[in-house]
Amino acid sequence: MTWYTWLIAAALLAAVAAVTGIKPKGTRPVEHTSLMGAARIVLVFIILICLWLAFRA
């Protein structure tokens, strides 16, 4: 595996953790805040743009 593959895997893992609200033990809860809701909307919007660009390519 190249460094680029590891970078993509880390980005996908971070995106899944952000959308699902997974957090380390002992940290502040953020999964039910408006900021997390906005982040999820932005993430979905970015994914849709990437899919649209991939479809057009």
Side-chain angles (χ1 to χ4, degrees):
M1 293 177 123
T2 65
W3 66 271
Y4 192 63
T5 306
W6 285 108
L7 180 66
I8 291 172
L12 288 174
L13 181 65
V16 168
V19 170
T20 60
I22 297 172
K23 65 182 183 75
K25 194 174 194 178
T27 58
R28 296 182 348 186
V30 294
E31 63 267 5
H32 297 295
T33 62
S34 60
L35 184 60
M36 182 56 96
R40 287 180 178 145
I41 291 171
V42 168
L43 185 60
V44 168
F45 187 66
I46 290 171
I47 289 170
L48 289 174
I49 289 173
C50 289
L51 288 174
W52 181 71
L53 290 172
F55 180 73
R56 291 202 31 137

